[in-house]
C-alpha cells in the first residue's frame, strides 16, 4: 500500500513587540488600536507579518520597531522574548508569533502605523491588573515581556537601557522603582549599585545641576552581568505572584 504523501502545514509568521519606556516615572507599554479585523478597535501590541519569505525575523522586528517608534538598531535594546504558537491564538489560521522585547529611554508620543487606528503609551499596571483586554494572546505576551524586564534588572545591566547616555544614581533608582513597582531605600540602593563593580562608571561630563545639589553623572559600565545581583524586594515579587493567582 502506497504511503500517504506528506505536505507541510500552512503556517504564517509574525513578529510582535513589547516596547517599554518610562514616562513621568511610570513603566509604560506601547499599544496600538487595531484598524482591521480580527479584533478591530481593540488594543494590541505593535507588530505584523514578515514582508516576504526572505526577510529575517530580527530584521522584521527592527522594521516594525522603526515604523512604530522611529528607533534605529543603535538606540534601542532589542531581544527575542519567546515564540507563541497556540493553535487558536489567531482566527485567521495557524499564525505563530516571534515576540521581542524592546526598551529605550524617553520615547515620544507614538504615531499609529498603516494598519492601526491609534497608538498610545499605557501604564504597565493597567495590563498586569487585567484592566485592559488585549487582542489575540497579547496580554500573555505583554505580561511575559514586563516580567522579563523585571527579572533581568536583578542580574543584568538592563536598567541602563531605560536611561540616557548619562544619568544620576537617583535616576537609575527611579528605573528600578518604576519597573519593579515598589519604592526602594535610597542609601541601600546606592550601596548595592556601587558594590556591583562595572555596572556603572563615572561619566566624563561630571555633574548636573537641577536646582539642588549637583548630581554626579554616570554611564553604563562594561559589565552586563551584575555581581552581586540587585535582588527584587520580596514584597514586590509576592504581590505579583498573588495577582497572578487571582487571575
Amino acid at each position: 500500500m502506497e504511503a500517504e504523501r506528506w505536505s507541510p502545514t500552512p503556517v504564517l509568521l509574525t513578529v510582535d513587540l513589547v516596547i517599554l519606556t518610562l514616562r513621568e516615572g511610570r513603566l509604560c507599554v506601547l499599544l496600538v488600536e487595531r484598524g482591521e479585523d480580527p479584533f478591530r478597535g481593540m488594543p494590541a501590541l505593535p507588530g505584523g507579518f514578515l514582508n516576504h519569505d526572505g526577510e529575517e525575523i530580527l530584521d522584521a522586528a527592527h522594521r516594525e520597531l522603526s515604523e512604530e517608534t522611529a528607533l534605529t538598531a543603535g538606540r534601542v535594546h532589542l531581544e527575542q522574548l519567546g515564540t507563541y504558537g497556540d493553535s487558536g491564538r489567531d482566527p485567521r489560521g495557524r499564525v505563530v508569533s516571534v515576540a521581542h522585547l524592546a526598551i529605550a529611554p524617553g520615547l515620544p508620543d507614538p504615531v499609529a502605523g498603516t494598519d492601526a487606528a491609534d497608538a498610545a503609551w499605557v501604564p504597565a499596571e493597567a495590563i498586569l491588573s487585567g484592566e485592559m483586554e488585549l487582542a489575540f494572546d497579547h496580554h500573555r505576551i505583554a505580561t511575559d515581556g514586563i516580567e522579563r524586564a523585571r527579572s533581568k534588572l536583578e542580574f543584568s545591566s538592563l536598567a541602563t537601557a531605560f536611561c540616557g547616555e548619562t544619568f544620576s544614581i537617583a535616576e537609575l533608582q527611579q528605573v528600578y522603582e518604576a519597573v519593579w513597582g515598589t519604592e526602594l531605600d535610597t542609601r541601600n540602593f546606592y550601596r548595592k549599585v556601587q558594590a556591583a563593580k562595572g555596572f556603572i562608571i563615572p561619566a566624563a561630563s561630571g555633574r548636573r545641576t537641577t536646582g539642588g545639589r549637583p548630581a554626579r553623572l554616570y554611564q553604563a559600565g562594561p559589565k552586563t552581568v551584575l555581581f552581586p545581583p540587585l535582588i527584587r524586594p520580596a514584597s514586590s515579587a509576592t504581590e505579583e505572584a498573588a495577582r497572578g493567582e487571582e487571575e
Side-chain angles (χ1 to χ4, degrees):
M1 185 175 181
E2 186 176 348
E4 295 183 8
R5 178 174 296 178
W6 177 85
S7 60
T9 302
V11 177
L12 296 174
L13 190 66
T14 67
V15 292
D16 288 308
L17 299 172
V18 182
I19 305 175
L20 303 180
T21 196
L22 264 58
R23 292 175 65 84
E24 298 180 353
R26 304 178 74 182
L27 180 65
C28 292
V29 184
L30 182 62
L31 296 180
V32 300
E33 179 185 330
R34 286 189 56 79
E36 302 175 355
D37 289 327
F39 304 108
R40 181 193 298 267
M42 286 190 64
L45 295 171
F49 291 97
L50 300 185
N51 265 349
H52 50 80
D53 60 7
E55 184 177 34
E56 299 294 341
I57 293 175
L58 184 59
D59 291 340
H62 278 294
R63 173 178 54 78
E64 289 290 343
L65 184 65
S66 177
E67 291 175 359
E68 297 294 345
T69 67
L71 284 171
T72 58
R75 296 182 54 211
V76 64
H77 171 89
L78 182 68
E79 66 177 72
Q80 191 173 122
L81 174 63
T83 302
Y84 298 81
D86 289 354
S87 59
R89 64 180 302 273
D90 192 318
R92 292 169 294 190
R94 190 65 187 270
V95 180
V96 174
S97 172
V98 181
H100 290 72
L101 174 65
I103 296 171
L107 295 180
D109 291 331
V111 177
T114 55
D115 58 350
D118 197 8
W121 291 107
V122 175
E125 184 55 37
I127 297 174
L128 295 174
S129 66
E131 175 185 335
M132 295 194 68
E133 183 180 357
L134 305 186
F136 305 104
D137 54 355
H138 287 187
H139 181 273
R140 174 189 173 193
I141 298 175
T143 300
D144 288 350
I146 295 168
E147 181 53 35
R148 168 76 67 85
R150 287 178 164 179
S151 297
K152 290 193 72 171
L153 256 61
E154 298 185 68
F155 303 99
S156 79
S157 60
L158 182 65
T160 60
F162 287 96
C163 301
E165 286 189 21
T166 61
F167 49 86
S168 66
I169 289 185
E171 289 169 336
L172 187 65
Q173 180 176 335
Q174 290 173 3
V175 171
Y176 275 87
E177 291 180 336
V179 176
W180 283 349
T182 187
E183 293 186 6
L184 301 173
D185 179 78
T186 299
R187 289 187 178 182
N188 193 35
F189 180 79
Y190 182 90
R191 178 180 57 81
K192 290 182 177 180
V193 167
Q194 294 290 5
K197 301 301 182 183
F199 177 19
I200 59 174
I201 57 176
S205 51
R207 296 178 180 270
R208 179 199 305 145
T209 300
T210 58
R213 290 181 57 187
R216 187 171 186 179
L217 297 181
Y218 295 84
Q219 62 190 49
K223 300 294 186 180
T224 57
V225 177
L226 302 187
F227 184 81
L230 276 69
I231 302 301
R232 193 186 335 179
S235 59
S236 175
T238 301
E239 289 171 3
E240 287 303 314
R243 185 179 292 115
E245 291 176 359
E246 290 175 359
E247 294 176 356

